[in-house]
């Protein structure tokens, strides 16, 4: 089966579980923590035209729509978009929802002020192509904010795997349980072959953003203290969340 089809099928099955997760975030300190990061790095102007790529169940779409911005949310899976729409409607918020491959956007050049994504780029089959495409649809002075982690470098690097196993052992010792996936075996099979599962990030992203044409690059190697609770800091100690961003 072609890789993009496998990725799409896998995430269709994860939609409801991830939706539960974002409501836990919306009802915790994480809502304001993430909103604060977006406010800190977003371009000037109000309201902004925001593109939330790989919206999943709509967490960033919820945050930015609540801020008063005009939001377009895309995902490659219909189930995720349905969850996002339902979640925004529960808060009385609106967005445009578009089923779309993030490598090939149907939007015109210079369409958006701000592009956001979280925990998406590691899933991309060709992230360099995606970065060029995202640069294309940004307006001049527009910004891209990518939040992610080295989630699967461990699958191709024994040293990172050892760190991961140590994290899991410490979590078990403390009675902290990691929320599972619907089909973890298929998830690991897909992840092992993805481009970014063998690249150290955000080091790779810095060069890729420059190659995509961004004039200003900003990197924060570890934002974990801002957006993770104490259990997450144990579970994901060896995979800190980073920010890789750029201005067109």
């Amino acid at each position: 089966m072609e890789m993009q089809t496998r990725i799409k099928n896998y995430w269709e099955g994860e939609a409801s579980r991830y939706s539960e997760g974002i409501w836990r975030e919306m009802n915790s300190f994480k809502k304001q923590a993430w909103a604060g990061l977006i406010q800190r790095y977003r371009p000037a102007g109000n309201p902004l035209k925001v593109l939330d790529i790989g919206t999943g169940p709509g967490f960033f779409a919820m945050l930015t729509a609540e801020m008063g911005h005009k939001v377009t949310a895309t995902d490659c899976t219909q189930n995720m978009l349905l969850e996002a729409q339902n979640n925004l409607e529960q808060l009385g918020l609106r967005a445009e929802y578009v089923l779309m491959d993030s490598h090939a956007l149907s939007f015109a050049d210079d369409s958006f002020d701000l592009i956001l994504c979280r925990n998406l780029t590691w899933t991309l089959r060709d992230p360099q192509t995606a970065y060029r495409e995202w640069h294309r649809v940004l307006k001049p002075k527009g910004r891209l904010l990518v939040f992610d982690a080295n989630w699967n470098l461990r699958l191709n690097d024994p040293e990172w795997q050892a760190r991961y196993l140590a994290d899991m052992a410490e979590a078990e010792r403390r009675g902290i349980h990691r929320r599972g996936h619907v089909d973890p075996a298929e998830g690991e099979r897909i992840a092992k072959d993805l481009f970014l599962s063998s690249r150290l990030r955000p080091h790779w992203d810095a060069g890729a953003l420059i190659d995509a044409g961004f004039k200003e690059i900003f990197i924060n190697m570890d934002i974990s203290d801002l957006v993770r609770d104490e259990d997450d800091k144990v579970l994901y100690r060896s995979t800190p969340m980073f920010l890789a961003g750029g201005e067109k």
Side-chain angles (χ1 to χ4, degrees):
M1 188 185 300
E2 190 260 341
M3 177 60 81
Q4 185 61 30
T5 301
R6 290 178 64 197
I7 293 169
K8 178 180 179 296
N9 290 344
Y10 178 79
W11 289 107
E12 289 279 15
E14 293 281 327
S16 62
R17 190 183 74 84
Y18 270 68
S19 198
E20 294 170 4
I22 69 162
W23 278 109
R24 286 191 291 269
E25 291 187 280
M26 289 294 289
N27 292 308
S28 75
F29 79 94
K30 294 181 181 180
K31 175 185 177 182
Q32 291 305 320
W34 282 107
L37 272 172
I38 293 169
Q39 286 287 80
R40 183 189 308 178
Y41 287 99
R42 75 176 185 89
N46 203 42
L48 301 175
K49 288 190 68 177
V50 176
L51 177 60
D52 179 16
I53 296 183
T55 189
F59 183 65
F60 276 178
M62 295 162 82
L63 294 186
T64 49
E66 199 168 60
M67 293 173 190
H69 302 304
K70 183 177 180 180
V71 180
T72 299
T74 72
D75 205 278
C76 70
T77 66
Q78 189 64 55
N79 286 349
M80 287 290 191
L81 288 175
L82 290 173
E83 291 286 344
Q85 183 172 1
N86 180 61
N87 290 333
L88 267 76
E89 287 177 352
Q90 288 187 55
L91 296 177
L93 301 171
R94 298 182 63 184
E96 179 184 6
Y97 308 94
V98 185
L99 184 67
M100 190 179 297
D101 181 348
S102 58
H103 299 79
L105 305 178
S106 63
F107 308 113
D109 295 356
D110 306 334
S111 292
F112 297 96
D113 302 294
L114 175 64
I115 296 177
L116 299 167
C117 68
R118 181 177 71 153
N119 295 335
L120 165 75
T121 47
W122 71 267
T123 72
L124 298 177
R125 66 182 187 276
D126 186 354
Q128 184 66 74
T129 292
Y131 278 173
R132 292 193 189 101
E133 183 71 346
W134 302 355
H135 179 272
R136 178 185 68 79
V137 302
L138 272 175
K139 296 178 183 179
K141 299 294 184 182
R143 287 193 166 191
L144 167 68
L145 304 181
V146 172
F147 300 97
D148 213 340
N150 284 288
W151 296 115
N152 294 296
L153 189 57
R154 66 183 183 85
L155 300 176
N156 294 294
D157 187 317
E159 193 172 310
W160 279 73
Q161 176 69 358
R163 295 178 195 171
Y164 167 80
L165 293 175
D167 291 349
M168 295 303 100
E170 178 62 18
E172 183 176 0
R173 187 185 71 79
R174 298 191 189 194
I176 301 171
H177 301 289
R178 186 176 188 176
R179 290 182 289 276
H181 292 272
V182 173
D183 189 348
E186 173 65 357
E188 288 207 357
R189 284 192 294 269
I190 292 171
K192 184 174 175 61
D193 294 331
L194 290 171
F195 180 86
L196 288 175
S197 294
S198 59
R199 270 73 179 179
L200 183 63
R201 307 179 66 198
H203 310 63
W204 178 87
D205 300 78
L209 290 169
I210 292 170
D211 289 344
F214 287 90
K215 294 179 180 177
E216 179 182 344
I217 308 299
F218 35 94
I219 300 289
N220 189 325
M221 296 286 292
D222 188 351
I223 60 170
S224 302
D225 283 343
L226 298 176
V227 298
R228 286 179 171 170
D229 60 28
E230 295 307 310
D231 285 359
D232 286 345
K233 289 175 186 176
V234 175
L235 283 165
Y236 309 116
R237 177 178 52 185
S238 63
T239 49
M241 183 73 71
F242 63 77
L243 162 65
E247 182 173 294
K248 184 172 178 177

